[in-house]
Amino acid sequence: MADPRDELLRQIRAIRKRIDPDVLERAAAAAERVQAARPPAPPVDEPFDRQAARELVMSFLQSRHDGGRFAMKLMEEMKKPEAAAKAYGSAGQRSSGPRKA
């Protein structure tokens, strides 16, 4: 039984031999024109829906049965941006390379 990859490569070579090079050049030029004619995508300031994220977090916090203690702790921690920056910095350091004992 022949290797499927070899068979596929053989088929690709056969198709390439049948394609007229002039047609291939015209198709490439047409594809470039289409790409150039498309307006660039608008820049995205937020890669998420802020309102949907807010509703999801609120739903999560409301589903907890701790009398709001977790929500209060979360709000206090959110007031400490330097701690968050430090946590992200230390997380990046921990993931790179082996840990020292």
Side-chain angles (χ1 to χ4, degrees):
M1 179 174 225
D3 184 20
R5 289 177 289 186
D6 291 337
E7 179 63 23
L8 180 61
L9 290 173
R10 185 194 62 73
Q11 291 174 3
I12 290 172
R13 283 191 293 271
I15 291 170
R16 283 184 179 165
K17 286 180 185 177
R18 292 190 316 228
I19 296 175
D20 183 10
D22 295 332
V23 172
L24 191 57
E25 286 179 26
R26 289 195 321 244
E32 288 176 12
R33 285 192 303 270
V34 168
Q35 289 295 328
R38 288 185 183 159
V44 178
D45 293 333
E46 294 179 352
F48 59 91
D49 180 359
R50 183 176 291 270
Q51 185 60 34
R54 183 183 312 269
E55 290 172 7
L56 182 66
V57 170
M58 290 302 295
S59 173
F60 168 75
L61 292 174
Q62 290 169 356
S63 69
R64 296 185 56 88
H65 302 289
D66 62 353
R69 288 187 302 271
F70 182 77
M72 294 302 291
K73 182 179 177 184
L74 179 64
M75 293 302 291
E76 287 300 316
E77 291 298 319
M78 288 178 66
K79 295 177 184 176
K80 302 175 186 174
E82 63 279 350
K86 183 179 177 184
Y88 278 109
S90 64
Q93 293 171 355
R94 276 186 276 148
S95 64
S96 60
R99 283 200 285 172
K100 295 179 182 175

